[in-house]
């Protein structure tokens, strides 16, 4: 029972922090995007370092250890590049996200025809969803302000939803404990 009380408070605090983070993202979208850029840079550094160490330690057992080493060193290089100028990284993020959305949309569009061959009655939803994804990706990549707004808006909405859900969980746990 004591553990449930701790979990309840953690869920409530996490929910409040996430909602606060959502307000920050909506109030300071450029700073939020720079924060994401820094996070990506730190993540690439960490991944690159662990991959490099793994390749060196597994040299005798890993068949393609040189490729793993090269991938790790490239991740470290990109991590340093992203961290050296987070504002430039933040500015290029809409292009990367928009391109990813367009590629995903094309894949969804093509997959719809495979679904049609397999007899899926809702195959046409893939065509619509894929086409819309391509259009949204195009809009994001060709207007940096739209791209930044889209990315930060979805971040803020995601944080707000996660925060609300955590608060609801915290209150639901109170009724379970009582």
């Amino acid at each position: 029972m004591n553990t449930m009380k701790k979990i309840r408070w953690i869920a409530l605090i996490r929910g409040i922090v996430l909602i606060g983070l959502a307000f920050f993202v909506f109030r300071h979208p450029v700073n939020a995007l720079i924060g994401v850029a820094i996070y990506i840079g730190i993540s690439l550094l960490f991944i690159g370092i662990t991959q490099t160490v793994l390749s060196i330690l597994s040299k005798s057992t890993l068949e393609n250890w040189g490729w793993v080493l090269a991938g790790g060193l490239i991740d470290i290089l990109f991590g340093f590049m992203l961290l050296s100028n987070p504002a430039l990284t933040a500015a290029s993020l809409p292009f990367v996200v928009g391109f990813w959305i367009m590629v995903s949309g094309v894949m969804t569009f093509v997959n719809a025809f495979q679904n049609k061959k397999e007899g899926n009655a809702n195959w046409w939803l893939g065509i619509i969803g894929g086409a819309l994804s391509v259009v949204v990706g195009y809009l994001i990549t060709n207007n940096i302000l739209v791209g930044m707004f889209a990315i930060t808006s979805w971040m803020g909405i995601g944080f707000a939803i996660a925060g609300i859900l955590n608060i609801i969980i915290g209150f639901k746990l109170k009724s379970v404990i009582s």
Side-chain angles (χ1 to χ4, degrees), residues 39-57 65-80:
Y39 173 77
I40 292 170
I42 291 170
S43 297
L44 278 175
L45 271 178
F46 178 75
I47 290 167
I49 290 169
T50 56
Q51 195 169 346
T52 301
V53 170
L54 171 75
S55 69
I56 293 169
L57 293 176
W65 73 273
W67 288 107
V68 177
L69 175 66
L73 293 175
I74 289 171
D75 283 348
I76 291 171
L77 177 67
F78 278 123
F80 276 124

Side-chain angles (χ1 to χ4, degrees), residues 32 162 171:
F171 282 114

Side-chain angles (χ1 to χ4, degrees), residues 4-18 162-173:
M4 292 295 276
K5 286 182 182 178
K6 288 179 186 176
I7 291 172
R8 173 182 179 263
W9 284 109
I10 290 172
L12 285 172
I13 291 170
R14 184 173 44 198
I16 292 167
V17 168
L18 285 167
I164 291 167
L165 289 175
N166 274 278
I167 290 172
I168 290 170
I169 289 169
F171 282 114
K172 293 279 186 189
L173 285 174

